[in-house]
Amino acid sequence: SLAQASSVELVVFDVLGREVRVLARGTVWPAGVQQLSWDGHRSDGGVAGAGLYFARLRVGGSAFTRPVVKLQ
């Protein structure tokens, strides 16, 4: 949930810290509750393998990283 419209970056990384997929970069999202899903594909269009990934959200000068487990 965003208190005000903000520029957002949301990127998925593998356990080695390599960028797997950019879901949003430089996109301005409006204030309010937002939702975005990852379809499990890499930036090159291939399917990312099952395993542990990390989603990093940067917004308003802050960064938040959460683990993501891809099952298939």
Side-chain angles (χ1 to χ4, degrees), residues 9-25 38 41-43 48-49 51-58 63-70:
E9 178 183 86
L10 182 57
V11 180
V12 177
F13 295 92
D14 66 14
V15 294
L16 298 177
R18 297 176 296 204
E19 188 176 285
V20 174
R21 178 82 182 265
V22 175
L23 301 175
R25 181 172 278 151
W38 175 39
H41 288 85
R42 300 183 312 258
S43 291
L52 178 64
Y53 294 87
F54 295 91
R56 183 184 67 205
L57 173 67
R58 288 186 177 172
F64 308 91
T65 303
R66 298 290 182 263
V68 176
V69 176
K70 184 174 182 295

